[in-house]
Every structure is written in C-alpha cells, then in structure tokens.
Amino acid sequence: MNFNFTDEQIAVRDMARDFADRRVRPLADELDKTGRYPQELVKEMAGLSLMGMCVPESLGGAGMDMLAYVLALEEISTACASTGVIMSVNNSLVCEPIKSFATDEQKQRFLVPLAKGEKLGCYALTEPNAGTDAGHQETKAIKKGQSFVLNGTKQFITNGAEADLCIVYASTAPEKGVKGISAFIVETKSPGFKISKKEKKLGIKGSSCVQIVLDNVEVPEANLLHREGEGFKVAMSTLEVGRIGIAAQALGIGQAALTASLKYSKEREQFGQPIANFQAIQFMMADMATRLEAARMLTYKAAQLKGTGARTPVESSQAKLYASEMCMYNAWAAVQIHGGYGYVEDYIPERLFRDAKICEIYEGTSEVQRILIARNLIKEGLSDL
Amino acid sequence: MKFELTDDQKAVQEWARNFSETIVAPVVSKLSDRDKLPMDLLKKLSAEGFMSLMVPEAQGGAGLDSLSFSLVITELARICASTSISVAVTNMIADVLVREGQKHHHDKFLSQLLSGESPTASFCLTENSSGSDASALQMTAKKEGDQYCLNGEKIYVTNGAFSNFFLIMARTNTEINGSKGVSAFLVPRASKGVVIGKEEDKMGLNASSTTRMVFENVLVPESDRLLNEGEGMQVALRALDGGRISVASQALGVAKRSLEAGIEYAKVREQFGKTLGEFQAIQWKIANASTELSAAELLIRRAAWLKSQKLPHRLEASMAKLFSTEMAIRLCDEMIQIHGGYGYIKDYPVEKYYRDVRVTSLYEGTSEIQRTVIAKNILGGL
Amino acid sequence: MNFELSDDHKAIRQLARNFSESDLKETASKWDQEKKFPHELVPKLAELGFMGMSIPEEYGGSDLDLLSCAIVMEEVARHCGSTALTLASHNGLGSKHILEFGNEAQKKKYLPDIAAGKKLSAWALTEPGSGSDASGMKTVAVEEKDCFVLNGSKAFITQGSVGDVYLVLAKTSPEKRQKGVSAFIIEKGTPGFTPGKPEDKLGCRGSDTSTLSLDNVRVPKENLVGERDMGFIDTLKILDKGRVIIGAMALGLGRGALEESIRYAKEREQFGQPIANFQAIQWKLANMATELEAARLLLYRACYLHREGRSINTEASMAKLFASEAGLKACDEAIQIHGGYGYIKDYPVERYWRDCRICTIGEGTSEVQRMIISRNILRGQGG
C-alpha cells in the first residue's frame, strides 16, 4: 500500500488549486447570487485540460489517471461547487461512457471536442417519473429507417442549458423493461430538442438544471452508443465514475467548510478568548476533519481502483454516500460555528450549506447508495482491503 | 394541560422508591452475574402488591392507573433493571387476565398472582423462527374434543424459572398462516409435557430469568383459552401496547440512575487541575443526556396518560418505547465515556447499566418494528 | 398530569391555523424569493391579536399565556418561517421588555400602538463583537444632565430596518460587566440612530434583519426601562420565554416538513409503488414524527411550569435546544424524501430547511443552551 501521490498528481493538484484560488473563488459568490453560467471559467478549464482529464491525449484529453482527476475536481469544488459539478458532469458522465463504449468514429466525432472543452456535454437519464427508479424509462426511441425517433421528457439535467451534446437514455424495447433501454449521443441543437424549464434551486446555482422535452427528435443510428438494449448497463457503469466525481465535489465543499471554520474560530473572540479555545468548537472541527479524511480515503480508493479499469459498484457508492453526508455535516457545523454570521450571505458557510445538500441527492440518493452497497455485500460478502 | 403528578401519583412513586431502596437494593447488591432473583424477594414484591398494580381494587389489586404504574417500574429499574422487568411482565399478564379473562380465569390464575402462590407470570410468544415476524409462529394447539393439545417451543420467556403459569400464543388453525390462526391459552407449569429449558446466558439483565420452553403434547382445557380461536394475536398486541410503556419506563429508570452516576463522577473526578464538569465536552454530554431524558419521560407519561383515559395509545406507546430505549442506550454509553477507564471496570456501576439497558431496544418489539408501527400509523394506512 | 389542551387553547390553535393556511401558505414563497418584508400582512396580524399576544387587554393586547403564544407560533411557522420570526421578535423581545420592566407611562405610551400593529418593535442586544458572549457588549450609554448619550453598534437585529420602537441595551456602568447594562427605548428617526441595510440571509428572507448604528444618540431619561444597570439581568428573564417561542417556530417548520413528506411519500411512485411503502422512507417519517412529538412535550412542559410561576431556565433551554435540532433534522429529511424535487423551489421543503436553520443559532445557540443546561444540572438545579 502506498499513501503517496505521484509527481504528476501533485502537479495537477497544484495547478488546479492555483486556478481555483486565482480565478474561481473570486467569482463563486456572484455565480451563486446571479445564477450565471461561468462561461469564462469553463473556457479556461478547457484550456487547462480539465474538461476531459481521463481521456487519452490522442483523443484531446489530458491523459490523466482517475486519482489526478479527483484531486483536481476537489480543488475546483473547494472554491465553487457549481463550477465543480459542471466539470464533473462533463468528465464523468459524458466523456467516460463515450470513452468506454463508443466506436472509434464516434470518439473522433464527439469525444475529442468534449475532452478539449470545445463542446459541453450533459447526461439525460432522470425523468419526471424515473428518479430513484431510473429503470422505469418512459422516453421512447423508435427505429425509423436509419434513425431513431426520440420522444419523452427528461428532468433535472445538469449542464442542460449550455450543453452541445447530450447522452440520452430511452427505451427501444419497452416490453423488455430495463433490458430494453438504449443510449444515444444527441446534438442539442437537433430539431425537437427543447429546454422546457430551467429550475430554480436551493444551491449550486451557477450550474443549470433543466427539463428537456424531446419532440420527435431524429437521431442517426450512428449515434447509438454501444448496443441496443445495453443502455442501462452504460448508465450504471457511468454512474460509478459519476459518483466518484460527486464524492470529489463533496470533499471540496467539506474542505471549504473546515477551512472557513478554522479561520473564523481563531479570529472570533467571545468571553475574552478565541472561540477556538472552547471544546465545543474544537470537537466540532475535530469531527469535521476526521470525517473529511475518511471521505478522502474512500474516494481516493474508489478512484484508484476505477483507474485500473475495474468495476467499482461498492467503492463508488461508499465514497459518494460517505462524502456527501460528511460535507453536509461539515457545512452545517460551519454555519453553527459562525453563529449569526453563518446565516448571512457575506460569509460563505450559508452557500456551502445550500450547495452541500444536493450531494446527498443527485447521482443516486443516499438511500440508493445504501441499497446498492447492502445488496452487493449480501451477494458477494466483504472483500479484503 | 398539566405537567405535574397528582398527590396520589407522587405517593405511589415515593412508596415504590422506598421499597426499592430499602428492600430490593440490599438483596440485589449481593447477587453475582450468575445469580437469578431470589424467590424470597419475588414473594416479598408480590405480598407488597407489586405484581398486581393495575388490577382493580375490587378484585384485590392496587387499582393504579397506567401513569402510576409507569412510575413504579421506573423506580424499580433505578435500583434493579432485572427486578423491574420481572414485575412489568407479570403485571402485563395480570392486565390481560383482567381485560380479556372471564371469572373462571380470574379464579384459577389471577388469584395466584394476588396470593403470591405464583410470584410471577410469563408471556410466551417468540419462537426460534418468529421474533419480529411474531404472527408467523409455529407452535400448534390442536383441538381434541373439549381440550387442546399444544406442541412446540418458545424462547426468551421472561420469568420462566419463577412462574406457576404461562400465557401462550399457539396456532389453532394451521390452514391460515398469519395472525388469524393464532389463539391465546393459559397453561399451568405443572401440566404434563411442559418443560422449562435452559436459562439464556445474556449480556445483561442477568438476574432476570430468561428461558426456553418446550411443550410436548400438553393438554389444555378449552376453558383455559382466552377469548375465541383466532383472537390470540389481538390479545398479544393489546398486551404489548402496555408492555411498551413498561419497557420504556424501565429504560428511563436505568438511564436516570446512570445519569446520576455520571454527574457525580464529573463533580468529583479531577484532571488538568479541574473537575471534569468544568470541561465543555463533559458538560455537553450531560446537557444532551438530561434533555433527551426529559423528552423521553414526557413521551412515556403521555402514552401512559392516554392509556389511563382509555384513549387510543398504540402510536404514542410505540413512540415512547422507540425514543426512550434508544435514548437510554446512548445515555448509558456516554456515562461510560465520562468515567473513562473506570467506566469499563466492574467496580463502577455504569458498565452494568449499559449492559442491562441494551436489551430494551430489542425486546417487546425492536426499534425497527416500532418505526414500522409509527410510520403505518401516521401514513394513515396505505 | 393532563395532556389535553383546554378549549381556549384549541380555539387559538384553530384561529392561527386558519390564518396560516389562508394568508401565508400561498404567498410565503413569494416573500422569500423577493426578500420582502410583508408590510401588508401587519394589519391582518394585528386584527387577529397576533401583534400584541402577551400584552394585557388594558393596553390593547390579547393577553395570551405562553402556551397560546407557542401554539400561534407553531401554526404560523408551519407555512411561513419569516412571519414566525417577525412575530417572535415583535411579541417576545422588544415589546416584552417594555411590558415586563417598563413603568406605567412607558407602557401606556408604546404598547397600544405595538399591539395594534401601528408600530413595529425591535430588540437590540447582539453586537458585531458580542453574540454568545452577550455581556461583552461595547455600546455605551453615558448619563448626562437631561438624557443618556448612546454610542455603539448592534448586529442581527430582527425588524432592524423596519422598526419603529427599539429596545436597546447599552452599558451604563462598563466596569460592572453584566451588572452594568441598561435598557432604553429609542424611536425610529432619533438623530444619530441609523439602521443598516437589510441583511441577505440564508432563510427567513421575508423577515427584516439589520445592523444599528448609534452615533451620539440622545435618549430622554424617561426612556430608561427598568432600573439602571439591571438591563442584562432583566434580559435573561425575557430570553427564557423567547426560547420557548423559537422552539415553537422550529416545531412548526418541522411539522410542515413532516406533513409535506407524508403527502409526497404517498403520491410519489417508484418501482411501481408509493415510496411510502419502503422502509427507508417509513423510518425517516417515524423518526421525524417521534422527535417532533418529544419536542412538543418539552415546549408545553416549559409553558406549564411558567404558568405555575416557576423558573423555566433549564426547561426552556432544553425545549429550545431539542426542538430546534429536531425541527432542522426533520426539514433535512424532508428534502431527502422529496429527492430531486426537494432541491427545487417549486416545492416548499427547501425553504422550510433554510428558514429552520436560524433556530439553532438565534436567541442563544445550541452551544449556549448546553452551557445553561449543564451548569444548572451540575449545580443540582433543574432537569
């Protein structure tokens, strides 16, 4: 076992940290207040190869390993969770499945611009009636000549308003249930592809979250990703990487909460001394730090394992579950430590609190993660470290 | 609304506290981890009226309301958790007899509790393959003329070693799988074929008798059946509504005693030149513990009050049991923590409080079952 | 013991509940998003007697007991945390201080207008440098021949920028620390007395919160409330009751979270059935319901003891601590139960969560409550 990072990973982390401090952090507040998409930041991130980190260089990416990706994503998310999720979705939910399942031709056509950040991607699985029950797809894809015609509605799609490409899941064989779902790479400017609603959210306001209506959208069969009927498998294996991404985002939020709390508690005086002298405050920060470390270990482990090409259903779920609950706790504690100042917008804890909450919900609620973990353990037993 | 005990209730509480401290305490303090409650103590409790607290005065009991009863159980539990459960279960059976039994049941069985001939009674529901899924019980009661023939095994029978008779749930209709095939019977210990099995070796509550039982062709007259065939589970569930208040009261009593010990220790033990009570970390534990304890006490009292008023209380009893038992376990655990290393040593009482209280979130309906009951209730039936 | 509400209490509950459903439910979200203090609501609140809840009838108030106030708070908060916070401060702090410690002239002068909703009251204790360490305040009041001159600043004052009558605490004898604080009535528009701009808050965005700046504010001697130097001691008595009120607010928000969750869980289907069929969801509902019940009982107990004339220092703290934490947990779980929809402003639960977050902070953080409770217990008092 080895708890050291490679030189390359350290370099990536430092680069991301510097970018986050210089460029992302100063804009985080404005993005939250205005709900503006950080176009300029995404462009710069593309320039730094952050939008397709694990895609091979030959295909326009940075050719990094998954752990380097996690380190970079964590740094970005420490400064701004919205920017973090934009990066995570493009990398984990769009580049990843195309990298794993697309034909060479598709990779050239789609993966290269996505990895280079020239195009932005999104992932459309959730529907109004298919959240946790993701397999209950109502969107249909009917073969018509050399195309598929897609009809249906997708819900809560991150990056949906700005994306050029969208991986859409639809049922090509409803009678087969989950085994009748297929995945398509759809260009968002296709006729019939409409953004029908832009959600107003509790947090991560700088990232768009939209409802999409597909109204007879024609998708050439050359855009079918992997085989017909294998769409759900694509979705699930993609989520394993997506969950690592969200875990990394949660690490960032949790770290930001701890950093803010440490700083404030040393400066703020009450009863004639810094509140950092009081055990009640010390204990909260100790718990924050410990849980953050534990979450890091779980996330890094999942990333490391995923990087070898293995399936990581349990590890990804554990990392996401634990890290999201950790960052919610840390954000809550940060508000509490800041007292009244934790409730006003001049200080960051209240934004962290609002941003943290989504981590326990999207890419599989904590409940889903627990079901997956338990089901797997019951079937496979405990594995060794 | 009133949050004050009546003078009568205070008197009952005082009486129970007195008896617990002067009669029960000296006896139980001499017991080792292997000893069961002495028969002598049980007979004294019985003679004093502890085993028939809610039986109406007209029938020879103390005629206490449920709230007063809850106070008694709490006081007993402060001194000895094992004694409190032995008393609670017996009272539960006495309650069943009064509520569901007819005169001949009273003459044959209730009288034994009133006279002390049977110092305790027992409730036999759980089996090897049916705990939470209680109505899946498999013990059979086959009708043969004007009697029933009982066959099967029961586990986790409290007071198994002490009771002269048992309330048994058995399946009279093997065609029906669930609760509607179950009936309730009263069975004397002396009946042929009744075998009291081994005492379980438990984590805590060691002085309380917890046995297995085997019934081999035990003949029970039809008249010793309670209510009609198929109504056994209802008898059991109604009994448990009150039983849950008792277990909650027991957990509360143990928790109170444990908290007292923790506070005492915090005032006395010094480290870093100060008493532990001057450190926020310890103050926090005490604050949290006492707040939750108060909350638990109020939930229990409200459930007991509703029962006294003969109002529906299944939801409230479940909430009280769920909250109080989980609170008590957390609290006893924190009191060990306050004692540091000494909390792990048997010279100090806190480790025993934890071991004794740990079962309370398990028996008479696990916390999981309580949550199911509560959820179904507030969802208004799905 | 008796766990039945009296007919009077049931009636006030119904009155408040009707009002909450008809006047708050539909507009609360708008006030939250527009960050608007709903001035238009004040006349209706006054008409119902909610602007002078514990003020005696002789001054135009409703003369409600603490339990009734808690009941009203819970019902209001059920649909609108902002309105609840406004009422909590207006009734429980500013006007309460004048009511309990003011002289007859002061009561006659201010309470009727406050009860009628013609004047909004605010209470100013907290400062930028003194929150939990309330007695560490720096605002001073220097006594001159015909007035007191106040200098300093206050922070996080509810109704700070929309108030008309302010109860301000300042040091008249700084060397005596908490034994040297006095309370003063300052009216809006007094020269040198300047409210700051409304704070941008996480929640309760329909409630007004701001700083106050005091720059040589000349306050007439007759505006001193209670005895000189006794202001802080008096304050502690106000806060006991105030804690019950904030606890009731949290209870209302938590109950709202639970009710919305029950409804959603029964309607929302996944895997071919209502999610209410799944144990994970049932567990959350059961926990929420149980803890809220316990919170309610703790609050009601404090109200009862207060009515009996007993000190509720420990019991009020316990109730506030428990109810605020239980309420917040329930709101958090409600979002979880709603899944993605819980994060969207079309549904009210994210607002309940944001509104509830202040409850473990304002009127004494949970940490302060724990300090009070443990100190009393270790001294052998209360619990």
Side-chain angles (χ1 to χ4, degrees):
Chain A
M1 251 189 121
N2 187 333
F3 285 80
N4 291 331
F5 296 125
T6 65
D7 287 340
E8 189 178 63
Q9 288 162 347
I10 292 174
V12 167
R13 184 192 67 193
D14 289 349
M15 177 271 288
R17 182 175 296 176
D18 173 70
F19 173 71
D21 281 341
R22 264 187 317 107
R23 295 289 297 137
V24 182
R25 183 162 286 123
L27 292 176
D29 215 34
E30 181 230 319
L31 294 177
D32 176 62
K33 289 204 165 63
T34 62
R36 165 175 91 78
Y37 171 76
Q39 183 142 3
E40 71 276 41
L41 290 179
V42 176
K43 193 150 179 250
E44 290 177 51
M45 280 158 64
L48 292 167
S49 294
L50 290 172
M51 298 304 277
M53 283 189 76
C54 302
V55 175
E57 285 180 273
S58 59
L59 287 168
M64 291 285 147
D65 62 38
M66 186 121 313
L67 187 47
Y69 165 57
V70 162
L71 292 173
L73 183 48
E74 184 185 337
E75 293 300 330
I76 301 295
S77 303
T78 301
C80 174
S82 301
T83 309
V85 75
I86 293 170
M87 176 179 163
S88 181
V89 166
N90 204 64
N91 274 278
S92 299
L93 296 184
V94 189
C95 286
E96 222 13 74
I98 299 179
K99 186 180 100 182
S100 305
F101 295 105
T103 62
D104 285 335
E105 183 274 328
Q106 287 171 330
K107 285 180 193 175
Q108 282 302 321
R109 205 155 36 107
F110 300 117
L111 189 53
V112 172
L114 282 166
K116 283 188 181 166
E118 289 164 5
K119 291 203 164 147
L120 185 72
C122 66
Y123 170 97
L125 175 66
T126 299
E127 301 180 352
N129 288 334
T132 292
D133 188 5
H136 178 80
Q137 293 286 301
E138 287 176 351
T139 300
K140 305 246 183 327
I142 299 180
K143 194 85 194 287
K144 194 178 113 179
Q146 302 209 301
S147 307
F148 286 87
V149 178
L150 271 56
N151 274 286
T153 310
K154 292 295 180 183
Q155 185 84 343
F156 300 146
I157 309 306
T158 305
N159 288 352
E162 298 84 16
D164 305 288
L165 295 168
C166 182
I167 302 195
V168 179
Y169 295 87
S171 181
T172 35
E175 70 284 2
K176 290 192 189 159
V178 157
K179 292 203 166 88
I181 298 172
S182 306
F184 300 88
I185 304 171
V186 179
E187 308 211 32
T188 61
K189 59 186 198 288
S190 306
F193 188 101
K194 298 178 255 208
I195 311 287
S196 50
K197 184 171 187 246
K198 216 178 156 199
E199 302 290 359
K200 286 209 277 241
K201 308 189 301 296
L202 172 61
I204 52 164
K205 293 191 184 189
S207 102
S208 66
C209 177
V210 302
Q211 186 187 68
I212 295 172
V213 166
L214 300 134
D215 185 6
N216 288 322
V217 178
E218 276 195 38
V219 179
E221 65 182 341
N223 285 24
L224 173 68
L225 180 60
H226 204 33
R227 293 183 288 273
E228 244 191 87
E230 300 277 274
F232 202 68
K233 238 196 261 174
V234 171
M236 292 302 113
S237 80
T238 300
L239 280 170
E240 281 176 25
V241 182
R243 282 158 189 167
I244 294 174
I246 298 305
Q249 179 197 33
L251 292 179
I253 297 171
Q255 176 67 66
L258 178 58
T259 303
S261 302
L262 285 166
K263 179 165 184 285
Y264 184 80
S265 65
K266 293 202 282 213
E267 288 167 0
R268 171 70 169 178
E269 292 203 4
Q270 286 288 268
F271 307 101
Q273 50 190 313
I275 62 174
N277 284 5
F278 296 113
Q279 285 193 328
I281 305 304
Q282 289 172 356
F283 280 35
M284 263 192 264
M285 296 193 296
D287 283 353
M288 286 161 88
T290 304
R291 289 177 204 202
L292 176 61
E293 266 318 290
R296 268 201 183 110
M297 292 298 111
L298 284 168
T299 307
Y300 293 174
K301 175 180 162 194
Q304 191 81 307
L305 193 54
K306 179 53 87 183
T308 66
R311 288 298 298 264
T312 60
V314 173
E315 295 79 1
S316 291
S317 280
Q318 285 179 327
K320 198 270 195 190
L321 172 65
Y322 194 84
S324 59
E325 297 197 340
M326 172 282 297
C327 85
M328 193 64 250
Y329 172 77
N330 282 20
W332 168 86
V335 171
Q336 197 67 15
I337 288 170
H338 281 67
Y341 292 106
Y343 205 68
V344 298
E345 294 183 358
D346 305 5
Y347 288 74
I348 64 164
E350 70 81 28
R351 166 166 55 88
L352 296 176
F353 189 65
R354 287 184 290 106
D355 285 349
K357 196 73 195 86
I358 193 61
C359 296
E360 295 183 274
I361 298 174
Y362 61 7
E363 294 206 32
T365 61
S366 297
E367 289 65 46
V368 165
Q369 307 309 333
R370 284 186 168 93
I371 291 173
L372 290 173
I373 295 165
R375 208 180 275 169
N376 211 288
L377 286 174
I378 290 167
K379 206 171 85 167
E380 312 280 348
L382 280 174
S383 57
D384 287 331
L385 190 64
Chain B
M1 295 190 98
K2 277 202 187 67
F3 286 80
E4 194 94 69
L5 295 176
T6 64
D7 286 338
D8 281 348
Q9 287 161 348
K10 283 186 197 162
V12 167
Q13 189 183 46
E14 194 50 47
W15 162 74
R17 181 170 302 182
N18 210 10
F19 190 90
S20 304
E21 285 174 1
T22 56
I23 309 290
V24 178
V27 172
V28 300
S29 62
K30 296 197 185 77
L31 299 176
S32 81
D33 252 2
R34 302 249 152 236
D35 296 329
K36 299 294 163 206
L37 294 171
M39 191 56 85
D40 192 53
L41 176 64
L42 294 168
K43 288 214 184 263
K44 277 206 182 88
L45 284 158
S46 179
E48 190 72 9
F50 277 91
M51 300 302 190
S52 49
L53 292 165
M54 290 186 285
V55 174
E57 284 182 272
Q59 287 179 263
L64 295 186
D65 62 58
S66 302
L67 212 156
S68 303
F69 174 65
S70 154
L71 296 171
V72 172
I73 298 302
T74 298
E75 290 303 323
L76 284 172
R78 288 174 76 167
I79 298 301
C80 177
S82 296
T83 304
S84 75
I85 195 62
S86 305
V87 168
V89 169
T90 305
N91 274 278
M92 184 170 78
I93 306 299
D95 231 24
V96 169
L97 287 168
V98 168
R99 185 176 49 241
E100 329 271 10
Q102 299 184 303
K103 186 167 182 309
H104 62 275
H105 298 129
H106 296 176
D107 291 340
K108 189 168 173 190
F109 297 103
L110 184 59
S111 58
Q112 293 189 51
L113 292 180
L114 293 164
S115 68
E117 191 187 326
S118 182
T120 66
S122 299
F123 180 73
C124 306
L125 172 66
T126 301
E127 298 178 3
N128 223 354
S129 50
S130 58
S132 290
D133 191 4
S135 55
L137 62 87
Q138 290 177 349
M139 177 163 169
T140 53
K142 193 158 160 246
K143 191 92 189 291
E144 288 171 5
D146 64 352
Q147 44 185 16
Y148 290 87
C149 182
L150 270 55
N151 272 288
E153 294 181 18
K154 293 290 182 188
I155 62 170
Y156 299 155
V157 176
T158 301
N159 293 340
F162 314 135
S163 304
N164 262 6
F165 69 91
F166 305 85
L167 174 62
I168 320 270
M169 309 300 153
R171 189 170 298 285
T172 34
N173 189 338
T174 48
E175 311 268 305
I176 315 177
N177 263 342
S179 51
K180 291 206 168 68
V182 174
S183 308
F185 298 92
L186 292 157
V187 180
R189 180 198 200 85
S191 307
K192 183 157 171 288
V194 172
V195 178
I196 314 289
K198 73 179 194 82
E199 285 281 355
E200 300 289 359
D201 202 358
K202 309 188 296 286
M203 175 185 192
L205 234 56
N206 290 91
S208 148
S209 157
T210 312
T211 63
R212 297 178 179 254
M213 290 186 64
V214 178
F215 294 77
E216 217 172 314
N217 293 323
V218 177
L219 295 172
V220 176
E222 196 176 349
S223 55
D224 283 353
R225 189 194 67 226
L226 279 177
L227 295 193
N228 298 317
E229 278 192 22
E231 294 184 338
M233 279 311 289
Q234 287 177 47
V235 170
L237 289 177
R238 280 192 290 266
L240 284 170
D241 283 342
R244 279 158 191 174
I245 298 174
S246 301
V247 170
S249 308
Q250 177 198 30
L252 181 71
V254 177
K256 281 191 178 193
R257 186 62 182 273
S258 181
L259 180 57
E260 281 164 22
I263 291 171
E264 261 322 292
Y265 189 79
K267 283 157 91 162
V268 158
R269 170 73 168 173
E270 291 200 12
Q271 286 286 265
F272 307 102
K274 304 202 279 199
T275 62
L276 295 193
E278 292 173 77
F279 291 103
Q280 277 196 339
I282 305 305
Q283 290 171 358
W284 258 225
K285 292 182 200 294
I286 291 174
N288 288 344
S290 61
T291 302
E292 294 196 349
L293 188 89
S294 292
E297 183 157 45
L298 290 169
L299 282 167
I300 295 171
R301 290 202 180 166
R302 191 191 44 169
W305 177 82
L306 287 166
K307 183 165 187 267
S308 312
Q309 304 295 309
K310 304 222 188 310
L311 292 167
H313 55 278
R314 179 157 293 174
L315 171 67
E316 292 79 2
S318 262
M319 283 184 168
K321 200 269 187 189
L322 171 66
F323 189 87
S324 307
T325 56
E326 295 200 340
M327 174 284 300
I329 292 168
R330 267 196 305 271
L331 185 152
C332 291
D333 180 73
E334 284 284 36
M335 294 307 118
I336 292 180
Q337 197 68 17
I338 288 179
H339 279 71
Y342 290 112
Y344 206 68
I345 304 299
K346 285 176 186 280
D347 297 0
Y348 285 74
V350 286
E351 59 83 30
K352 179 169 187 291
Y353 298 148
Y354 180 83
R355 284 187 295 106
D356 281 349
V357 92
R358 187 58 188 86
V359 72
T360 58
S361 72
L362 303 171
Y363 62 14
E364 292 204 33
T366 60
S367 290
E368 289 64 42
I369 288 297
Q370 304 311 331
R371 286 189 172 92
T372 303
V373 170
I374 294 164
K376 292 220 160 94
N377 199 294
I378 64 180
L379 285 164
L382 291 169
Chain C
M1 292 189 86
N2 183 328
F3 289 87
E4 186 98 62
L5 284 179
S6 71
D7 286 339
D8 281 349
H9 289 122
K10 284 186 191 165
I12 197 99
R13 184 176 63 187
Q14 198 56 55
L15 178 71
R17 186 170 294 180
N18 289 346
F19 163 73
S20 193
E21 280 174 12
S22 62
D23 290 61
L24 299 179
K25 183 171 169 180
E26 298 307 324
T27 28
S29 168
K30 186 165 74 95
W31 296 325
D32 171 70
Q33 297 203 46
E34 292 175 7
K35 211 185 87 169
K36 221 175 70 88
F37 180 87
H39 287 283
E40 67 268 29
L41 199 56
V42 174
K44 183 74 189 282
L45 288 165
E47 198 192 325
L48 288 165
F50 294 164
M51 295 302 276
M53 283 198 262
S54 44
I55 292 175
E57 281 178 18
E58 66 187 280
Y59 304 107
S62 319
D63 209 2
L64 296 177
D65 64 13
L66 187 57
L67 179 54
S68 302
C69 295
I71 288 171
V72 170
M73 281 297 295
E74 182 189 337
E75 294 303 325
V76 168
R78 161 61 183 98
H79 289 294
C80 184
S82 297
T83 306
L85 189 60
T86 300
L87 288 175
S89 163
H90 175 83
N91 282 281
L93 297 177
S95 59
K96 192 77 160 177
H97 204 127
I98 299 172
L99 174 63
E100 299 226 341
F101 302 105
N103 58 36
E104 195 54 38
Q106 290 164 337
K107 289 194 259 192
K108 275 214 178 73
K109 183 172 178 189
Y110 295 106
L111 294 182
D113 279 344
I114 286 173
K118 292 203 186 115
K119 294 213 157 103
L120 289 170
S121 79
W123 191 72
L125 170 70
T126 299
E127 300 185 356
S130 56
S132 292
D133 187 9
S135 61
M137 69 171 73
K138 292 206 169 62
T139 299
V140 289
V142 175
E143 188 163 2
E144 290 190 356
K145 206 172 77 145
D146 57 350
C147 67
F148 286 90
V149 179
L150 271 64
N151 274 287
S153 60
K154 295 294 184 182
F156 300 131
I157 307 307
T158 308
Q159 270 93 264
S161 82
V162 301
D164 301 291
V165 177
Y166 296 77
L167 195 300
V168 179
L169 290 127
K171 283 231 155 104
T172 32
S173 306
E175 70 287 2
K176 291 197 207 161
R177 275 223 115 205
Q178 54 256 57
K179 295 208 172 91
V181 176
S182 303
F184 301 91
I185 295 173
I186 302 183
E187 295 190 48
K188 166 175 147 179
T190 305
F193 183 76
T194 318
K197 68 168 187 53
E199 298 283 5
D200 237 332
K201 305 189 301 289
L202 170 63
C204 292
R205 292 168 72 77
S207 140
D208 179 87
T209 311
S210 78
T211 55
L212 299 172
S213 151
L214 295 104
D215 186 12
N216 287 325
V217 181
R218 303 180 79 82
V219 177
K221 289 219 173 155
E222 69 251 26
N223 283 25
L224 171 68
V225 179
E227 272 178 59
R228 197 198 133 117
D229 288 352
M230 281 299 286
F232 195 75
I233 313 294
D234 292 346
T235 285
L236 294 177
K237 299 204 183 84
I238 305 280
L239 281 171
D240 278 348
K241 285 160 290 217
R243 283 166 185 157
V244 172
I245 295 305
I246 295 298
M249 172 179 161
L251 176 63
L253 287 162
R255 195 186 98 210
L258 175 58
E259 286 175 8
E260 297 296 323
S261 300
I262 291 174
R263 188 192 3 200
Y264 185 81
K266 282 158 89 162
E267 284 169 5
R268 172 69 168 173
E269 292 204 5
Q270 286 289 265
F271 306 102
Q273 51 190 311
I275 63 173
N277 283 4
F278 298 116
Q279 281 195 338
I281 303 302
Q282 290 176 357
W283 260 222
K284 290 178 196 297
L285 295 173
N287 288 344
M288 287 154 86
T290 303
E291 292 197 352
L292 290 173
E293 270 318 293
R296 176 168 296 126
L297 291 171
L298 283 168
L299 285 165
Y300 286 8
R301 178 181 70 157
C303 293
Y304 166 78
L305 291 170
H306 174 69
R307 194 184 78 200
E308 298 292 299
R310 310 247 280 277
S311 157
I312 55 169
N313 192 242
T314 303
E315 292 79 0
S317 275
M318 282 186 171
K320 198 267 193 192
L321 171 65
F322 193 91
S324 58
E325 298 202 341
L328 186 59
K329 236 193 279 175
C331 291
D332 182 83
E333 286 284 36
I335 294 182
Q336 197 69 14
I337 289 170
H338 281 68
Y341 291 107
Y343 206 68
I344 302 301
K345 287 179 186 286
D346 299 7
Y347 286 75
V349 289
E350 60 83 29
R351 169 167 52 89
Y352 296 167
W353 189 69
R354 283 186 292 109
D355 286 353
C356 202
R357 188 65 190 84
I358 192 61
C359 296
T360 62
I361 298 174
E363 289 200 39
T365 60
S366 292
E367 289 63 44
V368 165
Q369 305 310 330
R370 287 188 174 98
M371 279 163 59
I372 294 172
I373 295 164
S374 60
R375 187 184 53 208
N376 286 352
I377 299 232
L378 287 164
R379 278 187 200 158
Q381 301 152 15

